[in-house]
Amino acid sequence: MRVIIVGAGFAGLSAAWVLADAGVDVTVLEARDRVGGRVWSWELVPGDKGTVIERGAEFVLDGYEHLTTWVGRLGLELANTTMSYYVREPRGGVPVTVAEVAATAAILADAAALAPSSVSVAGIAQQVLATQPGSGGGVSRAAVEAILTRISISWAAEVTELSCRALQGTASAFEPNPTYRVAGGNQGIAHGIAAHLGNRVRLGCPVRRLTHDEGSATVWTDDGAERADAVIVTLPLACSSSMPVEPALPAWKVEAWSRTGLGQAAKLHVMLTQPATASAVLSVPDGYWTWVATDASGVTQPIAHCFAGSMPALDRLGVMSGPGDWLARLADLRPEISLDVDRVLLSTWADDPWAGMAYSAERSVSREDDPDLMAAPVGRLHFAGEHTAGPWSGLMEGALRSGERVAQEVLATWGSRGPQGQ
């Protein structure tokens, strides 16, 4: 059996590994000149491994069982960041403590658990403020504002559109749990899998369209057509939903795609001129957070990392015009660190033709079965990617889980020798 996988991100590579080890003739086609997709490690100072940053997905969080398995399988290690992804000192606006934010977050999460998914994050906040206003055991508006900013950043979308489910789950915890990165860069997972696959991975080969019928599926590249028994599409949602397919995909899949949010984000990395301690700070009014973290050496990196989520936040920071405005706001937010404004790197997704987005988000208009619909095969076309991973959507863990899931799906459907193993 021959299988072609479109995309060499975490989903596509993990699927390819499973299929190749099962004896399947598998080829991975990647438009970029690198593997990893939206996981992209980079040396801010070329040649200095102590300045490795993540231009894409960054943190290894609680419950990342599949990712840690891949880390062990590939002989990699995790590095503790010392700071915690889950706890950020709120600054700007009305003062509020970390403890107040955490306590209020628990109240909002409890309210969200009792509400239908069609209620937005903003709707839950309004409900809680209306029923528990003020002080003396109630919740403060300042704490709620900090939480709304945090959730909007984490899901790269506006709280008026996000389902209240965004107030729950791994990425929305407020406890001081440890946080990790892959030592040497998260992209090491992609590099390790690609090395195992060898020439099965072809870079610089964008897929322009797909055709399929009862007997086969075909991918069309700039070099022509390639047929396979099955094709697995693992592109980001913005790209997979715009891929030309003949005959057209059924309405139920297209509609599930359209109900899912296309989160937008940006990252800013700035060298420091003086050592700083590990820390995490949330800019409540500007919609971004910034941190200083340790790497595998245990030493704090001389870098201020920043992440902004949602288009309104990116617009406030003037991201599409360059890093200047964001740098000025960072200097005002964190006067205790010394920024080297001549060594800066800004990364975005919206203008990346092979991404078009940061990651997916469940909206209040989403249906609970949308992840299943997005993951469901159509004939010989199969689908994976973080957006198909349900509660793990938007995360590296979700991408890896989806790749392993779709590989088993293809094996169960077609077998290693063709349709139903025949």
Side-chain angles (χ1 to χ4, degrees):
M1 176 173 65
R2 187 181 189 216
V3 175
I4 295 177
I5 298 176
V6 184
F10 273 21
L13 291 172
S14 58
W17 176 302
V18 174
L19 291 171
D21 281 8
V24 174
D25 176 10
V26 61
T27 301
V28 182
L29 302 181
E30 168 57 46
R32 305 176 191 270
D33 61 0
R34 61 173 178 83
V35 296
R38 287 168 287 172
V39 179
W40 188 13
S41 306
W42 187 270
E43 290 177 353
L44 190 54
V45 177
D48 184 350
K49 294 183 179 179
T51 66
V52 171
I53 60 171
E54 301 297 342
R55 300 187 67 171
E58 181 124 1
F59 295 108
V60 177
L61 305 175
D62 288 349
Y64 276 35
E65 297 174 356
H66 289 240
L67 186 145
T68 54
T69 296
W70 282 104
V71 166
R73 183 180 294 154
L74 296 168
L76 302 172
E77 296 181 351
L78 294 179
N80 195 313
T81 64
T82 303
M83 49 68 68
S84 178
Y85 166 92
Y86 306 94
V87 179
R88 310 166 191 181
E89 176 195 346
R91 294 186 186 179
V94 178
V96 63
T97 67
V98 167
E100 288 177 298
V101 171
T104 302
I107 295 172
L108 266 63
D110 288 344
L114 299 174
S117 61
S118 58
V119 177
S120 70
V121 169
I124 292 294
Q126 293 170 356
Q127 172 188 318
V128 169
L129 283 171
T131 57
Q132 303 186 53
S135 58
V139 299
S140 72
R141 184 169 294 275
V144 170
E145 289 298 326
I147 293 164
L148 294 182
T149 298
R150 157 70 188 282
I151 297 299
S152 182
I153 294 170
S154 294
W155 293 103
E158 297 177 70
V159 293
T160 53
E161 294 187 0
L162 281 170
S163 166
C164 61
R165 296 291 175 263
L167 288 162
Q168 303 170 299
T170 298
S172 300
F174 285 77
E175 300 299 323
N177 301 323
T179 304
Y180 302 91
R181 293 181 294 195
V182 176
N186 296 335
Q187 197 178 358
I189 293 176
H191 288 151
I193 298 177
H196 176 80
L197 294 171
N199 60 11
R200 298 181 182 92
V201 179
R202 287 161 46 188
L203 303 179
C205 188
V207 172
R208 303 301 185 182
R209 65 188 178 99
L210 304 172
T211 58
H212 63 111
D213 55 35
E214 291 185 2
S216 67
T218 304
V219 299
W220 296 79
T221 70
D222 295 340
D223 296 323
E226 296 193 38
R227 296 181 65 187
D229 295 293
V231 169
I232 301 175
V233 180
T234 70
L235 302 177
L237 176 56
C239 296
S240 58
S241 61
S242 61
M243 172 72 70
V245 179
E246 301 172 15
L249 295 173
W252 53 261
K253 183 172 287 289
V254 174
E255 290 166 1
W257 280 340
S258 68
R259 289 188 292 264
T260 304
L262 305 181
Q264 294 295 354
K267 298 186 83 169
L268 180 72
H269 296 93
V270 189
M271 287 294 296
L272 302 179
T273 60
Q274 299 292 332
T277 58
S279 57
V281 175
L282 173 71
S283 174
V284 177
D286 287 333
Y288 76 94
W289 74 296
T290 173
W291 63 96
V292 177
T294 55
D295 61 12
S297 69
V299 176
T300 304
Q301 286 186 299
I303 301 170
H305 312 263
C306 305
F307 182 97
S310 83
M311 280 309 300
L314 271 57
D315 290 342
R316 285 194 296 273
L317 296 169
V319 165
M320 294 308 172
S321 298
D325 192 12
W326 199 347
L327 272 172
R329 292 171 186 253
L330 176 61
D332 289 340
L333 181 74
R334 304 205 61 181
E336 74 277 12
I337 59 177
S338 301
L339 305 174
D340 184 346
V341 297
D342 294 322
R343 291 196 288 181
V344 177
L345 181 65
L346 175 66
S347 301
T348 56
W349 285 266
D351 53 349
D352 181 340
W354 310 123
M357 61 182 294
Y359 42 81
S360 64
E362 182 182 358
R363 301 165 65 208
S364 57
V365 297
S366 298
R367 290 185 358 193
E368 292 189 6
D369 61 343
D370 279 346
D372 293 335
L373 294 175
M374 290 188 287
V378 177
R380 293 177 179 270
L381 302 182
H382 296 256
F383 300 86
E386 52 83 10
H387 55 284
T388 70
W392 295 100
S393 294
L395 306 172
M396 290 186 287
E397 176 74 5
L400 290 169
R401 289 184 182 224
S402 76
E404 296 171 52
R405 183 265 308 161
V406 79
Q408 296 299 335
E409 175 184 281
V410 167
L411 289 172
T413 304
W414 308 110
S416 60
R417 293 175 295 164
Q420 302 299 329
Q422 299 302 312

